[in-house]
Amino acid sequence: MDDWRGKTAVVTGAAGGIGEAIAAKAAALGMNLVLADIDGAGLQAVQDDLQARGAQVLSVAADVGRLADVEALADSAYARFGAVHLAFNNAGTMTPGSLLKLPLEDMRRMVDTNLWGTLYGMKVFMPRMLADGAGHVVNTSSLNGLLAYPAMATYNGTKAAIVSISETVFHELAARNSPIGISVVCPGAVKKKRDAGMTGHGSRSASDRISRFREATGIAAGQVADCIFEGLARNRFWIFTHHNFHDALSARVDAMIGERAPVFELPI
C-alpha cells in the first residue's frame, strides 16, 4: 500500500532519531499521527513542529516497557482517530559494553524497551487491527540483529529477537491469510547526536567507537524513513537501509553452516 493520506500511524520512540523521521515522513504523506516517547519534552517539541506544518498529531508520554502505558497509548489513538493503520514499534535504547561488566539495570532497560516494547506493541495493536480487517506493523530491529557486534551483546540479543519474532509472526499471518501485515526494519548506522539512544553506565570507549562509526558510515534518519515507506509501498517484509553488510552476513552464515568458530567482519 502506498496511499496513506488520511490514515493513522502510531510511532514509538518519536522524540528523536528514526522515530522523529518516520513521523515527519508520515506527516508529509498526509497521515494522522500518534506519537509516543518516554521523553515528554522532546515529544512535545516534535508535536509542535509537525503541527506547525499542518499535521494532525496526538502525543502520549509513554514507557513502552510498561504494558499499561502501551495499552493507554492504543486507547488514546483509537479514541482520537478511530483506527490505526501503521504501528511502528520503534522505541529503543542502547548501552554498549562487555556483557560481564555491564550493570544489570542497563541490561534490563534494553530488554524492557527494545524487546518487551515491541512485544507489547504487537500484542496490543495487532488484535485491534485484525478486528478492523486492516493494518500493518513495522518493527525496528537493526543490523545488530543480524550480526554479532562485539561489546553489544544485550542490545544485539534484543534486536535479534525482534527479527526472529517478526519473521515467525509473518509466517503465522500468511498461514491464516491475514488481512494485516508485518515488516522488520534493520537499519545500519544512522547519524545522530553523539549520545542519542545511548543511556546508562556502559563503556565510554565503546560509545566513542560507535559514534565514530556512525559519523563515518551513517546515513540521515530521514533516509531511513524514506527506505521504510518505499519498502511498505512494495509490501516488503525485510526493509534494509544499508546493503554493504551482505559479505559480513554471508561470512557469518557460512561459518554456521560449516560449524566453524564464529566470525565477525565489520561492514564498512
Side-chain angles (χ1 to χ4, degrees):
M1 183 174 181
D2 58 3
D3 182 11
W4 298 108
R5 186 164 299 279
K7 303 297 195 300
T8 299
V10 173
V11 186
T12 66
I18 293 173
E20 181 181 3
I22 290 171
K25 180 70 174 182
L29 292 171
M31 298 193 74
N32 305 316
L33 296 169
V34 182
L35 309 181
D37 204 289
I38 199 169
D39 176 6
L43 189 62
Q44 185 63 52
V46 172
Q47 174 178 309
D48 291 345
D49 177 61
L50 293 176
Q51 285 180 329
R53 302 187 212 176
Q56 295 294 313
V57 185
L58 170 67
S59 63
V60 180
D63 178 354
V64 298
R66 298 181 68 245
L67 175 59
D69 282 19
V70 179
E71 289 175 331
L73 172 64
D75 288 342
S76 297
Y78 279 85
R80 174 71 178 271
F81 295 113
V84 171
H85 304 90
L86 286 178
F88 291 92
N89 294 311
N90 171 76
T93 187
M94 173 198 301
T95 305
S98 166
L99 178 70
L100 302 183
K101 296 180 180 180
L102 205 60
L104 281 172
E105 64 190 76
D106 292 326
M107 297 170 68
R108 226 173 254 118
R109 185 185 303 108
M110 283 185 278
V111 172
D112 286 346
T113 303
N114 302 354
L115 180 52
W116 277 111
T118 299
L119 287 169
Y120 289 152
M122 295 172 72
K123 289 284 283 183
V124 169
F125 283 97
M126 292 182 76
R128 298 195 191 208
M129 289 179 170
L130 282 168
D132 289 342
H136 200 99
V137 171
V138 184
N139 294 331
T140 300
S141 178
S142 169
L143 285 188
N144 292 69
L146 302 171
L147 299 170
Y149 286 73
M152 302 180 77
T154 303
Y155 181 78
N156 294 348
T158 63
K159 293 302 186 177
I162 290 169
V163 168
S164 181
I165 290 164
S166 301
E167 191 172 2
T168 302
V169 172
F170 172 87
H171 294 309
E172 292 172 353
L173 293 172
R176 61 189 292 180
N177 294 314
S178 174
I180 70 173
I182 188 168
S183 298
V184 65
V185 184
C186 297
V190 179
K191 292 184 185 294
K192 57 181 70 175
K193 294 177 183 178
R194 180 176 177 81
D195 293 321
M198 288 190 276
T199 60
H201 303 88
S203 165
R204 185 71 258 177
S205 62
S207 295
D208 288 341
R209 287 196 300 273
I210 292 167
S211 295
R212 289 194 297 270
F213 183 71
R214 282 175 175 170
E215 286 305 308
T217 68
I219 63 174
Q223 292 176 269
V224 176
D226 288 342
C227 289
I228 291 171
F229 278 92
E230 179 184 352
L232 292 174
R234 299 185 181 188
N235 199 31
R236 287 178 175 166
F237 170 77
W238 298 104
I239 299 178
F240 296 133
T241 63
H242 297 61
H243 294 86
N244 58 339
F245 70 98
H246 292 166
D247 289 344
L249 183 59
S250 293
R252 183 186 183 211
V253 173
D254 286 346
M256 289 181 189
I257 294 171
E259 298 182 42
R260 300 187 299 275
V263 297
F264 175 71
E265 296 179 4
L266 192 64
I268 297 178

